[in-house]
PDB file of all heavy atoms in Angstrom:
ATOM      1  N   LYS A  62     176.009 -37.918 -17.888  1.00 92.00           N
ATOM      2  CA  LYS A  62     176.535 -36.760 -18.623  1.00 92.00           C
ATOM      3  C   LYS A  62     176.334 -35.436 -17.878  1.00 92.00           C
ATOM      4  O   LYS A  62     177.234 -34.594 -17.846  1.00 92.00           O
ATOM      5  CB  LYS A  62     175.943 -36.687 -20.033  1.00 92.00           C
ATOM      6  CG  LYS A  62     174.440 -36.624 -20.141  1.00 92.00           C
ATOM      7  CD  LYS A  62     173.996 -36.718 -21.591  1.00 92.00           C
ATOM      8  CE  LYS A  62     172.494 -36.557 -21.732  1.00 92.00           C
ATOM      9  NZ  LYS A  62     171.738 -37.654 -21.066  1.00 92.00           N
ATOM     10  N   THR A  63     175.172 -35.240 -17.255  1.00 91.00           N
ATOM     11  CA  THR A  63     174.933 -34.000 -16.511  1.00 91.00           C
ATOM     12  C   THR A  63     175.773 -33.962 -15.239  1.00 91.00           C
ATOM     13  O   THR A  63     176.311 -32.913 -14.867  1.00 91.00           O
ATOM     14  CB  THR A  63     173.440 -33.852 -16.169  1.00 91.00           C
ATOM     15  OG1 THR A  63     172.694 -33.746 -17.388  1.00 91.00           O
ATOM     16  CG2 THR A  63     173.195 -32.597 -15.349  1.00 91.00           C
ATOM     17  N   THR A  64     175.913 -35.109 -14.580  1.00 94.00           N
ATOM     18  CA  THR A  64     176.775 -35.180 -13.389  1.00 94.00           C
ATOM     19  C   THR A  64     178.212 -34.834 -13.758  1.00 94.00           C
ATOM     20  O   THR A  64     178.895 -34.106 -13.029  1.00 94.00           O
ATOM     21  CB  THR A  64     176.722 -36.586 -12.772  1.00 94.00           C
ATOM     22  OG1 THR A  64     175.384 -36.881 -12.381  1.00 94.00           O
ATOM     23  CG2 THR A  64     177.627 -36.679 -11.548  1.00 94.00           C
ATOM     24  N   LEU A  65     178.677 -35.327 -14.903  1.00 95.00           N
ATOM     25  CA  LEU A  65     180.026 -35.010 -15.367  1.00 95.00           C
ATOM     26  C   LEU A  65     180.185 -33.513 -15.576  1.00 95.00           C
ATOM     27  O   LEU A  65     181.173 -32.913 -15.122  1.00 95.00           O
ATOM     28  CB  LEU A  65     180.315 -35.765 -16.665  1.00 95.00           C
ATOM     29  CG  LEU A  65     181.640 -35.459 -17.359  1.00 95.00           C
ATOM     30  CD1 LEU A  65     182.820 -35.767 -16.449  1.00 95.00           C
ATOM     31  CD2 LEU A  65     181.760 -36.232 -18.673  1.00 95.00           C
ATOM     32  N   LEU A  66     179.219 -32.893 -16.237  1.00 94.00           N
ATOM     33  CA  LEU A  66     179.288 -31.448 -16.470  1.00 94.00           C
ATOM     34  C   LEU A  66     179.270 -30.689 -15.147  1.00 94.00           C
ATOM     35  O   LEU A  66     179.996 -29.710 -14.977  1.00 94.00           O
ATOM     36  CB  LEU A  66     178.121 -30.999 -17.354  1.00 94.00           C
ATOM     37  CG  LEU A  66     178.252 -29.588 -17.934  1.00 94.00           C
ATOM     38  CD1 LEU A  66     179.316 -29.564 -19.024  1.00 94.00           C
ATOM     39  CD2 LEU A  66     176.932 -29.097 -18.500  1.00 94.00           C
ATOM     40  N   ASN A  67     178.452 -31.140 -14.196  1.00 92.00           N
ATOM     41  CA  ASN A  67     178.383 -30.483 -12.892  1.00 92.00           C
ATOM     42  C   ASN A  67     179.710 -30.573 -12.144  1.00 92.00           C
ATOM     43  O   ASN A  67     180.109 -29.627 -11.451  1.00 92.00           O
ATOM     44  CB  ASN A  67     177.267 -31.099 -12.043  1.00 92.00           C
ATOM     45  CG  ASN A  67     175.885 -30.705 -12.506  1.00 92.00           C
ATOM     46  OD1 ASN A  67     175.719 -29.748 -13.268  1.00 92.00           O
ATOM     47  ND2 ASN A  67     174.872 -31.430 -12.069  1.00 92.00           N
ATOM     48  N   CYS A  68     180.404 -31.692 -12.282  1.00 94.00           N
ATOM     49  CA  CYS A  68     181.704 -31.835 -11.627  1.00 94.00           C
ATOM     50  C   CYS A  68     182.748 -30.923 -12.275  1.00 94.00           C
ATOM     51  O   CYS A  68     183.552 -30.296 -11.587  1.00 94.00           O
ATOM     52  CB  CYS A  68     182.169 -33.291 -11.673  1.00 94.00           C
ATOM     53  SG  CYS A  68     181.236 -34.405 -10.599  1.00 94.00           S
ATOM     54  N   ILE A  69     182.731 -30.841 -13.604  1.00 95.00           N
ATOM     55  CA  ILE A  69     183.674 -29.966 -14.305  1.00 95.00           C
ATOM     56  C   ILE A  69     183.406 -28.499 -13.964  1.00 95.00           C
ATOM     57  O   ILE A  69     184.336 -27.698 -13.817  1.00 95.00           O
ATOM     58  CB  ILE A  69     183.590 -30.194 -15.827  1.00 95.00           C
ATOM     59  CG1 ILE A  69     184.082 -31.606 -16.170  1.00 95.00           C
ATOM     60  CG2 ILE A  69     184.393 -29.145 -16.585  1.00 95.00           C
ATOM     61  CD1 ILE A  69     183.814 -32.023 -17.608  1.00 95.00           C
ATOM     62  N   SER A  70     182.129 -28.157 -13.801  1.00 91.00           N
ATOM     63  CA  SER A  70     181.757 -26.762 -13.538  1.00 91.00           C
ATOM     64  C   SER A  70     181.927 -26.370 -12.075  1.00 91.00           C
ATOM     65  O   SER A  70     181.692 -25.218 -11.723  1.00 91.00           O
ATOM     66  CB  SER A  70     180.303 -26.529 -13.955  1.00 91.00           C
ATOM     67  OG  SER A  70     179.429 -27.249 -13.097  1.00 91.00           O
ATOM     68  N   THR A  71     182.297 -27.325 -11.214  1.00 90.00           N
ATOM     69  CA  THR A  71     182.467 -27.150  -9.765  1.00 90.00           C
ATOM     70  C   THR A  71     181.144 -27.013  -9.029  1.00 90.00           C
ATOM     71  O   THR A  71     181.136 -26.708  -7.838  1.00 90.00           O
ATOM     72  CB  THR A  71     183.385 -25.960  -9.387  1.00 90.00           C
ATOM     73  OG1 THR A  71     182.703 -24.720  -9.580  1.00 90.00           O
ATOM     74  CG2 THR A  71     184.678 -25.951 -10.192  1.00 90.00           C
ATOM     75  N   ILE A  72     180.024 -27.233  -9.714  1.00 89.00           N
ATOM     76  CA  ILE A  72     178.730 -27.257  -9.036  1.00 89.00           C
ATOM     77  C   ILE A  72     178.662 -28.459  -8.095  1.00 89.00           C
ATOM     78  O   ILE A  72     178.070 -28.403  -7.018  1.00 89.00           O
ATOM     79  CB  ILE A  72     177.580 -27.306 -10.064  1.00 89.00           C
ATOM     80  CG1 ILE A  72     177.504 -25.976 -10.826  1.00 89.00           C
ATOM     81  CG2 ILE A  72     176.236 -27.605  -9.392  1.00 89.00           C
ATOM     82  CD1 ILE A  72     176.524 -25.992 -11.980  1.00 89.00           C
ATOM     83  N   ASP A  73     179.304 -29.558  -8.511  1.00 91.00           N
ATOM     84  CA  ASP A  73     179.378 -30.770  -7.703  1.00 91.00           C
ATOM     85  C   ASP A  73     180.842 -31.174  -7.586  1.00 91.00           C
ATOM     86  O   ASP A  73     181.694 -30.708  -8.355  1.00 91.00           O
ATOM     87  CB  ASP A  73     178.548 -31.890  -8.349  1.00 91.00           C
ATOM     88  CG  ASP A  73     178.078 -32.928  -7.347  1.00 91.00           C
ATOM     89  OD1 ASP A  73     178.559 -32.909  -6.197  1.00 91.00           O
ATOM     90  OD2 ASP A  73     177.233 -33.762  -7.718  1.00 91.00           O
ATOM     91  N   MET A  74     181.156 -32.040  -6.631  1.00 92.00           N
ATOM     92  CA  MET A  74     182.528 -32.484  -6.417  1.00 92.00           C
ATOM     93  C   MET A  74     182.644 -33.973  -6.728  1.00 92.00           C
ATOM     94  O   MET A  74     181.711 -34.741  -6.485  1.00 92.00           O
ATOM     95  CB  MET A  74     182.953 -32.225  -4.962  1.00 92.00           C
ATOM     96  CG  MET A  74     182.897 -30.760  -4.566  1.00 92.00           C
ATOM     97  SD  MET A  74     183.980 -29.721  -5.576  1.00 92.00           S
ATOM     98  CE  MET A  74     185.595 -30.351  -5.090  1.00 92.00           C
ATOM     99  N   VAL A  75     183.795 -34.367  -7.241  1.00 95.00           N
ATOM    100  CA  VAL A  75     184.027 -35.771  -7.530  1.00 95.00           C
ATOM    101  C   VAL A  75     184.256 -36.546  -6.231  1.00 95.00           C
ATOM    102  O   VAL A  75     184.652 -35.963  -5.216  1.00 95.00           O
ATOM    103  CB  VAL A  75     185.239 -35.959  -8.469  1.00 95.00           C
ATOM    104  CG1 VAL A  75     185.008 -35.250  -9.790  1.00 95.00           C
ATOM    105  CG2 VAL A  75     186.527 -35.472  -7.812  1.00 95.00           C
ATOM    106  N   SER A  76     184.013 -37.850  -6.266  1.00 94.00           N
ATOM    107  CA  SER A  76     184.314 -38.704  -5.113  1.00 94.00           C
ATOM    108  C   SER A  76     185.785 -39.111  -5.116  1.00 94.00           C
ATOM    109  O   SER A  76     186.391 -39.290  -4.059  1.00 94.00           O
ATOM    110  CB  SER A  76     183.426 -39.955  -5.137  1.00 94.00           C
ATOM    111  OG  SER A  76     182.057 -39.595  -5.085  1.00 94.00           O
ATOM    112  N   SER A  77     186.356 -39.268  -6.307  1.00 96.00           N
ATOM    113  CA  SER A  77     187.783 -39.543  -6.445  1.00 96.00           C
ATOM    114  C   SER A  77     188.227 -39.126  -7.836  1.00 96.00           C
ATOM    115  O   SER A  77     187.414 -38.914  -8.729  1.00 96.00           O
ATOM    116  CB  SER A  77     188.079 -41.035  -6.214  1.00 96.00           C
ATOM    117  OG  SER A  77     187.463 -41.832  -7.210  1.00 96.00           O
ATOM    118  N   GLY A  78     189.546 -39.003  -8.014  1.00 97.00           N
ATOM    119  CA  GLY A  78     190.094 -38.545  -9.284  1.00 97.00           C
ATOM    120  C   GLY A  78     190.376 -37.058  -9.256  1.00 97.00           C
ATOM    121  O   GLY A  78     190.183 -36.385  -8.236  1.00 97.00           O
ATOM    122  N   ASN A  79     190.816 -36.525 -10.389  1.00 97.00           N
ATOM    123  CA  ASN A  79     191.218 -35.122 -10.467  1.00 97.00           C
ATOM    124  C   ASN A  79     190.699 -34.470 -11.741  1.00 97.00           C
ATOM    125  O   ASN A  79     190.594 -35.116 -12.781  1.00 97.00           O
ATOM    126  CB  ASN A  79     192.745 -34.997 -10.447  1.00 97.00           C
ATOM    127  CG  ASN A  79     193.358 -35.578  -9.185  1.00 97.00           C
ATOM    128  OD1 ASN A  79     193.636 -36.768  -9.147  1.00 97.00           O
ATOM    129  ND2 ASN A  79     193.554 -34.756  -8.175  1.00 97.00           N
TER     130      ASN A  79
END
Side-chain angles (χ1 to χ4, degrees):
K62 57 187 184 296
T63 297
T64 299
L65 175 59
L66 193 72
N67 287 344
C68 289
I69 294 170
S70 68
T71 75
I72 291 172
D73 205 349
M74 300 300 294
V75 300
S76 300
S77 64
N79 300 87

